[in-house]
Amino acid sequence: MKEKAVRSYRDLIVWQKAMELVAGIYRRTRPFPTDEMFGLVSQMRRAAVSIPSNIAEGYGRSSTGEYKQFLGHARGSLWEIETQILIAQKLNYLNDEEASDLLKLATETGRILHGLLSSLKK
């Protein structure tokens, strides 16, 4: 089976997974208490949006070193969102199933991101 050529950052599986994570975070934070709108909700949404944004920005850079730097930023945001999901769960803003689903998607995104970073170190 022939693999599809990557012509854009939108063709990257890691970017697609990160976009799914963003959508999931937005959906799951909608019912959070209104007093969290400028607190945890804002933090979670910014961290989630940062992941595919950094993947896209890095893809457009002129050197592999710059690309890896932006992928590193995406990885940092991924760890940030994982922590924030756990905080939301501890505060009972997310139930165990919701948190688990988001964490699984974050873990999958992280695995793919790690693979992409590893492939660039060769």
Side-chain angles (χ1 to χ4, degrees), residues 15-35:
W15 181 85
Q16 295 167 12
K17 288 290 178 191
M19 291 294 286
E20 286 179 41
L21 181 58
V22 170
I25 291 295
Y26 269 76
R27 274 192 304 276
R28 297 295 190 203
T29 57
R30 211 172 280 136
F32 279 28
T34 54
D35 65 335

Side-chain angles (χ1 to χ4, degrees), residues 21 24-25 28-29 32 44 81-107:
L21 181 58
I25 291 295
R28 297 295 190 203
T29 57
F32 279 28
M44 290 179 76
I81 196 64
E82 287 177 355
T83 300
Q84 293 162 351
I85 291 166
L86 293 169
I87 290 168
Q89 183 182 22
K90 277 203 174 296
L91 296 172
N92 295 315
Y93 297 157
L94 292 173
N95 65 40
D96 292 344
E97 183 180 350
E98 292 168 329
S100 177
D101 289 347
L102 290 171
L103 288 170
K104 283 178 190 170
L105 188 51
T107 299

